[in-house]
């Protein structure tokens, strides 16, 4: 290494040392603040509230500093004039009166030339430096000269400018997605920093980095619109739990912890959808026609007595008759409110009570000689109260217009589905008590919208509790007043007592427990929460009913949708962006496409593209940026499929990195038998060296090596997904006949 190179490395190492000294100091300060805040500072709710807020703030800072500790700084930009800026995962400031920036957050405007500058458009830079560290030690430097007139050289010049990117692409996988802040490309940067408004659709084939781009966009939006999104939170929806675990460390590594990650199955609070549907059932449940079917089924629960067979309601003053005409008028009045079922129910009940009260009034107050009714207004009001309090009347109302829960209503509906074709009804029919499935969650949400939540009882209980607190506070103040008068009864005092500065209402308010949960935690428990922004990965897979659910969560229509219609595998999936969005925003959405494949080598991509072109000759896959020289191979297992798979696994298992065996679910038990540590049916642990997956579980994931088993059993989309998960090598083992495109 030359003297010049040694000097440059030492300079960067000195900066990294100074940076981590500052980080350690910040970490110590934050920890001390947390410790101080946990020390009791007084009695009462206000003191506890202030302590909790401070603990949350300092704990959040600690979490961010700890999460981004490794490779905190990854770059430097040298302007043609002015001081250089080091770029990192979060911003760090000096401990000086001006709080001078020490490390620039990658999302800050001043950092953008690091991603966009080129020799043709240097954006005021003369050099861009990529810094590689292991722990806190600088190990490599790569410089790109952007001002060709600048003759200063460091010895670390990278003529192509691609060394850092190619090294990242070729590195061993860990079973967890990493951030791409060191290697964001210009086309990706433009999407990440797109203006925060409306719907943005990011389409891209396998390996184009669309998921990473979406996550970095979430981090950018949280940086750019912190005040808004900290209150409303960002929701990231993924296709399955394995995928969410795979991406779960990306945002914390970028200093962001206030994001809610969820699958469709987790979007109805209190319901854990662990059941499974047949593909046919999921497609029917996801179809747009289910919304109308459920709405009609709810109306069916608003009943009437049979004509000529009225309901007889026992009463102390003689039976009351609730006939078809009374119930019909009451039902029409309730429906005209256009309120959800449960919220319209009191209107139905009021109408019935009024009609039965009139019936009772006419009977009791009738003049036997035909004169006017002799009951006064007060008498009639008293009779009405009696009718309203009657358990028998309440039972009759409940029979005709029952109070319904989403879970109870949907369970009953799926046990006896109506307003569907016979074939569709048979597909979705389920036994009472069966587990909820992911496809049921949008139906539960739809039912909740149709039914509404009658929270009158909860509100009454809350008001009663508040009144108790007010009464207690009033008692405390009265004791305070009495104590003061006793102590100072013979002199005029200027000492302020409690009742001089606070009344019972305010004192009671201070005793209320504050909600210190984060916005993401509160959102997870609130079905009606409106998110500041929603990101949907594999968006082409969601059904029309799932989109109804998500659009309710986004009244501002601020969404980033990520996916690839060519990879649509779910029967209920919409696939077309226009069909997904037209009911909600028409054509008012922006559509961008990522066209470069950073993951899949050209040799593998060529084979995968053949599979899709067999159905769509015009298909054009994303172009791969690299070639490994490793051609995909196929192997006939003969009768011993499990043995052939085990031998192939032994051959492909890397010293570092990860291997995925992607096979039809029905073969997992057979295949897993000779494989150590593989339990078929269990949630896959992606951090293990070898993992067994179905093709749809593999969606969105990547591995160093992939072994595809029995590709002839996969549909075109599933096979395309399975073939494009590898970053290095691909093998295929089969016992049955191969598809023509793979021969």
């Amino acid at each position: 290494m030359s003297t010049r190179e040694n000097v440059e490395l030492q300079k960067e190492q000195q900066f990294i040392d100074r940076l981590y000294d500052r980080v350690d100091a910040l970490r110590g300060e934050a920890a001390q603040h947390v410790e101080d805040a946990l020390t009791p500072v007084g009695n009462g709710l206000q003191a506890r509230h202030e302590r909790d807020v401070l603990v949350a703030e300092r704990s959040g800072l600690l979490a961010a500093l700890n999460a981004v500790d490794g490779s905190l700084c990854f770059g430097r930009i040298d302007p043609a004039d002015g001081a250089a800026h080091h770029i990192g995962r979060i911003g760090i400031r000096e401990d000086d009166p001006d709080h001078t920036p020490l490390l620039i957050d990658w999302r800050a405007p001043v950092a953008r030339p690091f991603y966009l500058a080129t020799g043709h458009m240097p954006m005021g830079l003369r050099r861009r430096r990529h810094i590689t560290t292991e722990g806190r030690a600088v190990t490599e430097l790569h410089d790109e000269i952007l001002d060709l007139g600048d003759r200063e050289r460091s010895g670390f010049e990278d003529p192509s400018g691609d060394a850092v990117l190619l090294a990242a692409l070729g590195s061993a996988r860990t079973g967890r997605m990493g951030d791409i802040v060191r290697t964001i490309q210009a086309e990706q940067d433009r999407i990440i920093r797109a203006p925060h408004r409306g719907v943005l659709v990011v389409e891209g084939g396998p390996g184009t980095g669309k998921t990473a781009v979406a996550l970095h966009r979430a981090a950018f939006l949280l940086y750019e619109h912190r005040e808004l999104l900290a209150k409303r939170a960002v929701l990231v929806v993924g296709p399955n739990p394995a995928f969410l675990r795979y991406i779960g460390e990306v945002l914390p590594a970028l200093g962001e912890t206030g994001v809610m990650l969820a699958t469709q199955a987790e979007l109805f609070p209190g319901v854990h959808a662990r059941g499974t549907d047949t593909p046919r059932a999921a497609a029917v449940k996801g179809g747009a026609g289910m919304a109308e079917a459920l709405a009609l089924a709810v109306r069916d629960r608003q009943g009437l007595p049979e004509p000529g067979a009225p309901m007889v309601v026992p009463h102390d003053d003689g039976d009351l008759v609730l006939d078809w005409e009374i119930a019909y008028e009451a039902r029409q009045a309730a429906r005209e409110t256009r309120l959800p079922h449960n919220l319209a129910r009191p209107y139905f009940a009021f109408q019935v009570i009024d009609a039965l009260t009139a019936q009772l009034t006419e009977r009791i107050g009738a003049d036997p000689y035909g004169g006017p009714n002799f009951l006064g207004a007060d008498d009639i009001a008293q009779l009405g109260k009696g009718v309203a309090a009657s358990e028998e009347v309440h039972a009759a109302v409940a029979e005709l217009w029952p109070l319904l829960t989403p879970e109870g209503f949907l369970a009953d509906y799926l046990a006896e589905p109506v307003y569907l074709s016979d074939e569709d009804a048979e597909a979705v029919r389920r036994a009472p008590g069966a587990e909820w499935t992911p496809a049921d969650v949008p139906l539960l949400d739809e039912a909740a919208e149709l039914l509404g939540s009658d929270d009158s009882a909860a509100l009454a209980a809350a008001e009663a509790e508040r009144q108790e607190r007010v009464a207690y506070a009033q008692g405390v103040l009265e004791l305070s007043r009495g104590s003061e008068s006793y102590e100072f009864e013979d002199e005029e005092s200027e000492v302020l007592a409690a009742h001089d500065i606070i009344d019972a209402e305010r004192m009671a308010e201070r005793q209320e427990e504050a909600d210190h949960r984060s916005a993401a935690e509160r959102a997870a428990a609130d079905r009606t929460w409106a998110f500041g922004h929603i990101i949907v990965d594999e968006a082409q897979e969601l059904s029309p009913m799932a989109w109804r659910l998500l659009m309710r969560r986004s009244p501002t229509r601020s969404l980033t949708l990520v996916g690839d219609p060519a990879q649509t595998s779910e029967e209920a999936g919409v696939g077309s962006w226009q069909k997904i969005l037209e009911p909600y925003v028409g054509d008012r959405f922006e559509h961008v496409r990522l066209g470069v494949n950073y993951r899949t080598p050209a040799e593998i991509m060529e084979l995968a593209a053949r599979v899709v072109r067999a159905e769509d000759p015009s298909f054009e896959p994303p172009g791969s940026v690299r070639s490994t020289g490793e051609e995909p191979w196929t192997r006939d297992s003969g009768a011993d499929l499990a043995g052939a798979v085990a031998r192939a696994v032994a051959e492909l298992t890397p010293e570092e990195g990860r291997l995925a065996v992607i096979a039809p679910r029905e073969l997992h038990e057979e295949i897993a038998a000779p494989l150590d540590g593989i339990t078929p049916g269990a949630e896959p642990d992606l951090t293990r060296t070898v993992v067994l997956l179905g093709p749809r579980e593999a969606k969105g994931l990547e591995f160093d090596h992939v072994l595809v088993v029995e590709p002839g059993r996969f549909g075109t989309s599933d096979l395309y997904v399975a073939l494009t998960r590898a970053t290095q090598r691909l093998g295929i083992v089969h016992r049955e006949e191969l598809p023509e495109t793979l021969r």
Side-chain angles (χ1 to χ4, degrees), residues 296-477:
L296 292 172
V298 168
R299 290 174 69 88
D300 284 349
R301 302 300 296 273
Q302 301 163 3
L304 301 173
E306 289 292 331
M311 300 176 69
V312 176
V313 182
H315 190 272
D316 292 343
D317 294 309
D319 292 345
L320 301 175
V321 178
L322 176 52
D323 58 19
W324 185 92
E325 288 79 7
I326 292 175
Y328 177 80
E329 292 295 331
R331 187 175 73 174
Q332 289 301 103
R335 286 180 175 177
E336 285 171 4
T337 66
R338 306 184 71 83
L339 291 171
H341 173 88
N342 289 334
L343 300 185
R345 184 175 184 267
Y347 293 88
F348 176 80
F350 294 153
Q351 290 283 333
V352 169
I353 289 169
D354 285 349
L356 295 181
T357 300
Q359 192 178 116
L360 190 60
T361 301
E362 183 177 353
R363 178 191 305 161
I364 294 176
D367 184 346
Y369 302 104
N373 194 300
F374 58 79
L375 292 179
D378 291 343
D379 299 321
I380 295 173
Q382 194 63 34
L383 287 176
K385 288 181 181 179
V387 173
S390 167
E391 292 184 5
E392 290 78 6
V393 171
H394 282 281
V397 169
E399 183 176 340
L400 296 176
W401 197 295
L403 189 65
L404 301 174
T405 65
E407 295 91 335
F409 164 74
L410 187 62
D412 289 345
Y413 175 83
L414 293 176
E416 289 295 335
V418 291
Y419 302 109
L420 299 174
S421 69
D422 291 343
E423 295 80 5
D424 288 350
E426 187 57 36
V428 303
R429 184 175 282 109
R430 51 167 256 174
E435 282 194 307
W436 296 114
T437 71
D440 291 330
V441 168
L443 304 188
L444 286 166
D445 197 72
E446 189 74 24
E449 287 292 307
L450 292 168
L451 298 176
S453 177
D454 183 1
D455 57 358
S456 55
L459 291 174
E463 177 60 21
E465 184 180 344
R466 191 187 74 84
Q467 291 297 339
E468 285 183 14
R469 287 197 302 271
V470 170
Y472 175 79
Q474 187 64 51
V476 171
L477 292 176

Side-chain angles (χ1 to χ4, degrees), residues 114 148 155 638:
F114 183 80
L148 299 181

Side-chain angles (χ1 to χ4, degrees), residues 628-672:
T628 61
E630 290 275 357
E631 293 289 341
W633 51 260
T634 62
R635 187 173 299 165
D636 190 333
S637 70
D640 185 14
L641 178 65
V645 168
R647 290 188 292 274
V649 166
E651 177 184 333
L652 286 172
T653 299
E655 293 183 9
E656 295 183 356
R658 301 293 180 269
L659 164 67
V661 180
I662 303 178
R665 298 287 298 184
E666 63 270 19
L667 295 179
H668 281 200
E669 189 167 348
E670 176 184 353
I671 291 170

Side-chain angles (χ1 to χ4, degrees), residues 519-571:
E521 290 170 332
R522 284 181 282 126
D526 185 353
R527 188 194 69 81
T528 62
W529 188 271
F531 288 92
H533 192 78
I534 296 179
I535 292 174
V536 186
D537 204 303
E538 303 294 349
Q540 77 281 351
E541 301 287 6
L542 295 187
S543 69
M545 291 302 294
W547 282 113
R548 288 174 66 88
L549 179 156
L550 285 177
M551 289 302 179
R552 292 188 192 107
R553 308 293 197 275
S554 180
T556 60
R557 301 295 187 258
S558 179
L559 304 102
T560 300
L561 312 183
V562 181
D564 179 15
Q567 297 184 62
T568 305
S569 55
E570 298 291 342
E571 289 189 32

Side-chain angles (χ1 to χ4, degrees), residues 641 645 661-664 667 671 707-712 714 731-734:
L641 178 65
V645 168
V661 180
I662 303 178
L667 295 179
I671 291 170
L707 183 67
V708 176
V709 181
E710 292 297 10
F714 296 164
I732 299 171
V733 173
H734 65 101

